[in-house]
Amino acid sequence: MDQYKEEKKRIRLVRADITKLSVDAIVNAANESLLGGGGVDGAIHSAAGPDLLRACAALKGCKTGQAKITPGFQLPAKYVIHTVGPVYRGGMNKESELLASCYQSSLAVASHNNVNTIAFPSISTGVYGYPIEEACRIAIVETLRYLSGHSEITEVTFVCFSDRDLKIYERAMTEF
Ligand code: APR
C-alpha cells in the first residue's frame, strides 16, 4: 500500500557531511545543555563559528525530545535546529517516543520559521547508542506523517555519515 507515495518524493537520502549542505536548516543532534559536544554537534559548531555557541547559550538549554532554532552563522545553511535525542538505555524508557518527538518538534520549528528545506542527521544513533535500524524507521515514519499535512516543507534530506548507514536508510524507505 503506497500510503505516502507523494510525501516520499520529498525525501532525499544522501551520504554527506551535514555542515556542507546549502539547505534552509540543518538539524543538530545536541545535548540538553546546547553547549556543544562531539559528533555532529562538534562538527556543526566548528563550521558555524563561535557565534553559534553564544546564540545557544542564550537559549538556556533544551529538553530531550524538543527543538530550538538559531541562525546558521558561517554555515551554508541559514538556520540550525537543535534537538536533543534520547540516550538509548535498552528501549524501555520511552526512547522511541522521545526520538519521534525530536523529528516532530524539529519539523514544527521549521514550519514556524518559514523553513522549506531541512536536513537531519541520524539523531541518537552515535554517542547516544540508539540502534540505527529502529531509529531510521522512526525518523522516516514521523517525517512522512508530518509531510502529509505540511506542504510548506518541500524537501527533507536524511544525511548519513557512512555507506552502511545510507544502505540501512535506503532499505527502510522501501518499507513505506
Ligand atoms: N554530518 C552528518 N552526520 C554526522 C556528522 C556530520 N558531520 N558527524 C557525525 N554524524 C553522524 C554520526 O555518524 C551518527 O550517525 O550523526 C549521527 C549522530 O551521532 P552523534 O553526533 O554522536 O549524536 P547522538 O548519537 O545524537 O549523540 C548526541 O553526542 O556530540 C554529542 O553533544 C552531543 O551529547 C550529544 C551527543
Side-chain angles (χ1 to χ4, degrees), residues 16-18 29-31 36-41 43 121-128 159 161 165:
D17 173 348
I18 200 167
N31 59 63
V40 71
D41 194 4
S122 190
I123 298 165
S124 280
T125 66
V127 165
Y128 280 1
V159 185
F161 208 45
D165 289 0

PDB file of all heavy atoms in Angstrom, residues 16-18 29-31 36-41 43 121-128 159 161 165, ligand 1:
ATOM      1  N   ALA A  16      26.735  12.401   3.270  1.00  0.00           N
ATOM      2  CA  ALA A  16      27.381  13.723   3.213  1.00  0.00           C
ATOM      3  C   ALA A  16      27.760  14.177   4.614  1.00  0.00           C
ATOM      4  O   ALA A  16      27.389  13.575   5.614  1.00  0.00           O
ATOM      5  CB  ALA A  16      26.413  14.738   2.601  1.00  0.00           C
ATOM      6  N   ASP A  17      28.527  15.256   4.629  1.00  0.00           N
ATOM      7  CA  ASP A  17      28.811  15.985   5.875  1.00  0.00           C
ATOM      8  C   ASP A  17      27.732  17.068   5.953  1.00  0.00           C
ATOM      9  O   ASP A  17      27.673  17.946   5.090  1.00  0.00           O
ATOM     10  CB  ASP A  17      30.212  16.606   5.758  1.00  0.00           C
ATOM     11  CG  ASP A  17      30.538  17.526   6.930  1.00  0.00           C
ATOM     12  OD1 ASP A  17      29.622  17.863   7.712  1.00  0.00           O
ATOM     13  OD2 ASP A  17      31.705  17.912   7.058  1.00  0.00           O
ATOM     14  N   ILE A  18      26.878  16.997   6.941  1.00  0.00           N
ATOM     15  CA  ILE A  18      25.709  17.890   7.022  1.00  0.00           C
ATOM     16  C   ILE A  18      26.114  19.361   7.058  1.00  0.00           C
ATOM     17  O   ILE A  18      25.352  20.232   6.633  1.00  0.00           O
ATOM     18  CB  ILE A  18      24.833  17.515   8.237  1.00  0.00           C
ATOM     19  CG1 ILE A  18      23.403  18.050   8.080  1.00  0.00           C
ATOM     20  CG2 ILE A  18      25.450  17.978   9.565  1.00  0.00           C
ATOM     21  CD1 ILE A  18      22.410  17.465   9.074  1.00  0.00           C
ATOM     22  N   ALA A  29      22.158  17.218  16.349  1.00  0.00           N
ATOM     23  CA  ALA A  29      21.900  16.229  17.408  1.00  0.00           C
ATOM     24  C   ALA A  29      22.681  16.702  18.632  1.00  0.00           C
ATOM     25  O   ALA A  29      23.845  16.336  18.822  1.00  0.00           O
ATOM     26  CB  ALA A  29      22.359  14.845  16.964  1.00  0.00           C
ATOM     27  N   ALA A  30      22.057  17.520  19.436  1.00  0.00           N
ATOM     28  CA  ALA A  30      22.725  18.202  20.547  1.00  0.00           C
ATOM     29  C   ALA A  30      22.509  17.455  21.857  1.00  0.00           C
ATOM     30  O   ALA A  30      21.927  16.368  21.889  1.00  0.00           O
ATOM     31  CB  ALA A  30      22.179  19.634  20.646  1.00  0.00           C
ATOM     32  N   ASN A  31      22.988  18.056  22.948  1.00  0.00           N
ATOM     33  CA  ASN A  31      22.653  17.562  24.291  1.00  0.00           C
ATOM     34  C   ASN A  31      21.886  18.675  25.009  1.00  0.00           C
ATOM     35  O   ASN A  31      21.776  19.788  24.493  1.00  0.00           O
ATOM     36  CB  ASN A  31      23.917  17.166  25.063  1.00  0.00           C
ATOM     37  CG  ASN A  31      24.882  18.323  25.210  1.00  0.00           C
ATOM     38  OD1 ASN A  31      24.571  19.326  25.831  1.00  0.00           O
ATOM     39  ND2 ASN A  31      26.043  18.190  24.584  1.00  0.00           N
ATOM     40  N   GLY A  36      27.400  22.451  22.907  1.00  0.00           N
ATOM     41  CA  GLY A  36      28.365  21.772  22.042  1.00  0.00           C
ATOM     42  C   GLY A  36      28.765  20.408  22.581  1.00  0.00           C
ATOM     43  O   GLY A  36      28.360  19.994  23.659  1.00  0.00           O
ATOM     44  N   GLY A  37      29.520  19.706  21.740  1.00  0.00           N
ATOM     45  CA  GLY A  37      29.942  18.344  22.115  1.00  0.00           C
ATOM     46  C   GLY A  37      30.791  17.762  21.015  1.00  0.00           C
ATOM     47  O   GLY A  37      31.499  18.501  20.326  1.00  0.00           O
ATOM     48  N   GLY A  38      30.677  16.449  20.820  1.00  0.00           N
ATOM     49  CA  GLY A  38      31.451  15.802  19.759  1.00  0.00           C
ATOM     50  C   GLY A  38      30.566  15.570  18.545  1.00  0.00           C
ATOM     51  O   GLY A  38      29.645  16.353  18.268  1.00  0.00           O
ATOM     52  N   GLY A  39      30.841  14.491  17.843  1.00  0.00           N
ATOM     53  CA  GLY A  39      29.986  14.050  16.730  1.00  0.00           C
ATOM     54  C   GLY A  39      29.492  15.184  15.843  1.00  0.00           C
ATOM     55  O   GLY A  39      30.214  16.151  15.571  1.00  0.00           O
ATOM     56  N   VAL A  40      28.241  15.083  15.436  1.00  0.00           N
ATOM     57  CA  VAL A  40      27.713  16.095  14.509  1.00  0.00           C
ATOM     58  C   VAL A  40      27.590  17.452  15.210  1.00  0.00           C
ATOM     59  O   VAL A  40      27.769  18.507  14.596  1.00  0.00           O
ATOM     60  CB  VAL A  40      26.368  15.623  13.902  1.00  0.00           C
ATOM     61  CG1 VAL A  40      25.234  15.625  14.917  1.00  0.00           C
ATOM     62  CG2 VAL A  40      25.995  16.454  12.687  1.00  0.00           C
ATOM     63  N   ASP A  41      27.349  17.422  16.510  1.00  0.00           N
ATOM     64  CA  ASP A  41      27.271  18.672  17.306  1.00  0.00           C
ATOM     65  C   ASP A  41      28.600  19.426  17.195  1.00  0.00           C
ATOM     66  O   ASP A  41      28.657  20.621  16.895  1.00  0.00           O
ATOM     67  CB  ASP A  41      26.977  18.277  18.760  1.00  0.00           C
ATOM     68  CG  ASP A  41      26.546  19.433  19.642  1.00  0.00           C
ATOM     69  OD1 ASP A  41      26.388  20.549  19.118  1.00  0.00           O
ATOM     70  OD2 ASP A  41      26.366  19.209  20.848  1.00  0.00           O
ATOM     71  N   ALA A  43      30.901  19.056  14.904  1.00  0.00           N
ATOM     72  CA  ALA A  43      31.171  19.474  13.515  1.00  0.00           C
ATOM     73  C   ALA A  43      30.393  20.742  13.168  1.00  0.00           C
ATOM     74  O   ALA A  43      30.912  21.654  12.521  1.00  0.00           O
ATOM     75  CB  ALA A  43      30.782  18.337  12.569  1.00  0.00           C
ATOM     76  N   PRO A 121      20.552  14.759  10.590  1.00  0.00           N
ATOM     77  CA  PRO A 121      21.495  13.651  10.781  1.00  0.00           C
ATOM     78  C   PRO A 121      20.706  12.497  11.398  1.00  0.00           C
ATOM     79  O   PRO A 121      19.504  12.623  11.670  1.00  0.00           O
ATOM     80  CB  PRO A 121      22.494  14.226  11.784  1.00  0.00           C
ATOM     81  CG  PRO A 121      21.660  15.120  12.654  1.00  0.00           C
ATOM     82  CD  PRO A 121      20.580  15.688  11.731  1.00  0.00           C
ATOM     83  N   SER A 122      21.389  11.400  11.658  1.00  0.00           N
ATOM     84  CA  SER A 122      20.716  10.252  12.253  1.00  0.00           C
ATOM     85  C   SER A 122      20.738  10.407  13.779  1.00  0.00           C
ATOM     86  O   SER A 122      21.612   9.899  14.473  1.00  0.00           O
ATOM     87  CB  SER A 122      21.467   8.996  11.804  1.00  0.00           C
ATOM     88  OG  SER A 122      20.770   7.852  12.131  1.00  0.00           O
ATOM     89  N   ILE A 123      19.770  11.094  14.283  1.00  0.00           N
ATOM     90  CA  ILE A 123      19.732  11.513  15.691  1.00  0.00           C
ATOM     91  C   ILE A 123      19.819  10.311  16.639  1.00  0.00           C
ATOM     92  O   ILE A 123      19.161   9.290  16.420  1.00  0.00           O
ATOM     93  CB  ILE A 123      18.441  12.319  15.963  1.00  0.00           C
ATOM     94  CG1 ILE A 123      18.436  13.591  15.103  1.00  0.00           C
ATOM     95  CG2 ILE A 123      18.312  12.694  17.443  1.00  0.00           C
ATOM     96  CD1 ILE A 123      17.105  14.271  15.009  1.00  0.00           C
ATOM     97  N   SER A 124      20.634  10.450  17.661  1.00  0.00           N
ATOM     98  CA  SER A 124      20.806   9.480  18.752  1.00  0.00           C
ATOM     99  C   SER A 124      21.523   8.194  18.376  1.00  0.00           C
ATOM    100  O   SER A 124      21.740   7.342  19.247  1.00  0.00           O
ATOM    101  CB  SER A 124      19.455   9.083  19.388  1.00  0.00           C
ATOM    102  OG  SER A 124      19.039  10.074  20.290  1.00  0.00           O
ATOM    103  N   THR A 125      21.899   8.017  17.103  1.00  0.00           N
ATOM    104  CA  THR A 125      22.487   6.723  16.681  1.00  0.00           C
ATOM    105  C   THR A 125      23.999   6.703  16.822  1.00  0.00           C
ATOM    106  O   THR A 125      24.632   5.702  16.466  1.00  0.00           O
ATOM    107  CB  THR A 125      22.112   6.410  15.210  1.00  0.00           C
ATOM    108  OG1 THR A 125      22.734   7.386  14.352  1.00  0.00           O
ATOM    109  CG2 THR A 125      20.612   6.398  15.016  1.00  0.00           C
ATOM    110  N   GLY A 126      24.595   7.765  17.308  1.00  0.00           N
ATOM    111  CA  GLY A 126      26.051   7.776  17.536  1.00  0.00           C
ATOM    112  C   GLY A 126      26.337   7.571  19.006  1.00  0.00           C
ATOM    113  O   GLY A 126      26.042   6.513  19.579  1.00  0.00           O
ATOM    114  N   VAL A 127      26.830   8.604  19.637  1.00  0.00           N
ATOM    115  CA  VAL A 127      27.192   8.558  21.066  1.00  0.00           C
ATOM    116  C   VAL A 127      26.012   8.056  21.917  1.00  0.00           C
ATOM    117  O   VAL A 127      26.188   7.321  22.885  1.00  0.00           O
ATOM    118  CB  VAL A 127      27.610   9.974  21.530  1.00  0.00           C
ATOM    119  CG1 VAL A 127      27.646  10.100  23.035  1.00  0.00           C
ATOM    120  CG2 VAL A 127      28.959  10.338  20.938  1.00  0.00           C
ATOM    121  N   TYR A 128      24.797   8.425  21.505  1.00  0.00           N
ATOM    122  CA  TYR A 128      23.629   8.070  22.350  1.00  0.00           C
ATOM    123  C   TYR A 128      23.146   6.636  22.144  1.00  0.00           C
ATOM    124  O   TYR A 128      22.203   6.197  22.784  1.00  0.00           O
ATOM    125  CB  TYR A 128      22.498   9.078  22.144  1.00  0.00           C
ATOM    126  CG  TYR A 128      22.680  10.382  22.911  1.00  0.00           C
ATOM    127  CD1 TYR A 128      23.808  10.605  23.705  1.00  0.00           C
ATOM    128  CD2 TYR A 128      21.733  11.391  22.840  1.00  0.00           C
ATOM    129  CE1 TYR A 128      23.973  11.795  24.396  1.00  0.00           C
ATOM    130  CE2 TYR A 128      21.886  12.589  23.535  1.00  0.00           C
ATOM    131  CZ  TYR A 128      23.023  12.777  24.314  1.00  0.00           C
ATOM    132  OH  TYR A 128      23.192  13.954  25.009  1.00  0.00           O
ATOM    133  N   VAL A 159      20.691  12.730   6.174  1.00  0.00           N
ATOM    134  CA  VAL A 159      22.128  12.733   5.897  1.00  0.00           C
ATOM    135  C   VAL A 159      22.801  11.594   6.661  1.00  0.00           C
ATOM    136  O   VAL A 159      22.773  11.574   7.895  1.00  0.00           O
ATOM    137  CB  VAL A 159      22.762  14.079   6.324  1.00  0.00           C
ATOM    138  CG1 VAL A 159      24.229  14.124   5.919  1.00  0.00           C
ATOM    139  CG2 VAL A 159      21.987  15.249   5.708  1.00  0.00           C
ATOM    140  N   PHE A 161      26.272   9.356   7.496  1.00  0.00           N
ATOM    141  CA  PHE A 161      27.699   9.681   7.564  1.00  0.00           C
ATOM    142  C   PHE A 161      28.557   8.485   7.162  1.00  0.00           C
ATOM    143  O   PHE A 161      29.769   8.506   7.299  1.00  0.00           O
ATOM    144  CB  PHE A 161      28.066  10.147   8.988  1.00  0.00           C
ATOM    145  CG  PHE A 161      29.223  11.087   9.045  1.00  0.00           C
ATOM    146  CD1 PHE A 161      29.327  12.157   8.164  1.00  0.00           C
ATOM    147  CD2 PHE A 161      30.231  10.910   9.980  1.00  0.00           C
ATOM    148  CE1 PHE A 161      30.395  13.028   8.214  1.00  0.00           C
ATOM    149  CE2 PHE A 161      31.317  11.779  10.040  1.00  0.00           C
ATOM    150  CZ  PHE A 161      31.398  12.837   9.153  1.00  0.00           C
ATOM    151  N   ASP A 165      25.252   3.263   6.912  1.00  0.00           N
ATOM    152  CA  ASP A 165      24.021   3.925   7.373  1.00  0.00           C
ATOM    153  C   ASP A 165      23.104   4.246   6.199  1.00  0.00           C
ATOM    154  O   ASP A 165      21.891   4.078   6.273  1.00  0.00           O
ATOM    155  CB  ASP A 165      24.376   5.202   8.147  1.00  0.00           C
ATOM    156  CG  ASP A 165      25.013   4.908   9.501  1.00  0.00           C
ATOM    157  OD1 ASP A 165      25.176   3.711   9.820  1.00  0.00           O
ATOM    158  OD2 ASP A 165      25.361   5.857  10.214  1.00  0.00           O
TER     159      ASP A 165
HETATM  160  N1  APR B   1      27.418  15.094   9.196  1.00  0.00           N
HETATM  161  C1  APR B   1      26.403  14.202   9.252  1.00  0.00           C
HETATM  162  N2  APR B   1      26.285  13.243  10.187  1.00  0.00           N
HETATM  163  C2  APR B   1      27.279  13.178  11.108  1.00  0.00           C
HETATM  164  C3  APR B   1      28.372  14.078  11.122  1.00  0.00           C
HETATM  165  C4  APR B   1      28.421  15.051  10.105  1.00  0.00           C
HETATM  166  N3  APR B   1      29.415  15.947  10.030  1.00  0.00           N
HETATM  167  N4  APR B   1      29.178  13.742  12.184  1.00  0.00           N
HETATM  168  C5  APR B   1      28.611  12.686  12.786  1.00  0.00           C
HETATM  169  N5  APR B   1      27.465  12.331  12.146  1.00  0.00           N
HETATM  170  C6  APR B   1      26.526  11.250  12.442  1.00  0.00           C
HETATM  171  C7  APR B   1      27.038  10.094  13.245  1.00  0.00           C
HETATM  172  O1  APR B   1      27.774   9.187  12.428  1.00  0.00           O
HETATM  173  C8  APR B   1      25.725   9.493  13.720  1.00  0.00           C
HETATM  174  O2  APR B   1      25.172   8.676  12.708  1.00  0.00           O
HETATM  175  O3  APR B   1      25.497  11.794  13.239  1.00  0.00           O
HETATM  176  C9  APR B   1      24.812  10.710  13.891  1.00  0.00           C
HETATM  177  C10 APR B   1      24.548  11.125  15.325  1.00  0.00           C
HETATM  178  O4  APR B   1      25.683  10.826  16.114  1.00  0.00           O
HETATM  179  P1  APR B   1      26.203  11.831  17.264  1.00  0.00           P
HETATM  180  O5  APR B   1      26.738  13.045  16.640  1.00  0.00           O
HETATM  181  O6  APR B   1      27.081  11.042  18.176  1.00  0.00           O
HETATM  182  O7  APR B   1      24.852  12.259  18.045  1.00  0.00           O
HETATM  183  P2  APR B   1      23.972  11.452  19.098  1.00  0.00           P
HETATM  184  O8  APR B   1      24.129   9.988  18.980  1.00  0.00           O
HETATM  185  O9  APR B   1      22.598  12.058  18.984  1.00  0.00           O
HETATM  186  O10 APR B   1      24.631  11.879  20.494  1.00  0.00           O
HETATM  187  C11 APR B   1      24.492  13.216  20.915  1.00  0.00           C
HETATM  188  O11 APR B   1      26.820  13.478  21.230  1.00  0.00           O
HETATM  189  O12 APR B   1      28.164  15.022  20.235  1.00  0.00           O
HETATM  190  C12 APR B   1      27.465  14.747  21.373  1.00  0.00           C
HETATM  191  O13 APR B   1      26.829  16.906  22.199  1.00  0.00           O
HETATM  192  C13 APR B   1      26.331  15.725  21.596  1.00  0.00           C
HETATM  193  O14 APR B   1      25.934  14.942  23.809  1.00  0.00           O
HETATM  194  C14 APR B   1      25.446  14.914  22.488  1.00  0.00           C
HETATM  195  C15 APR B   1      25.577  13.505  21.909  1.00  0.00           C
END
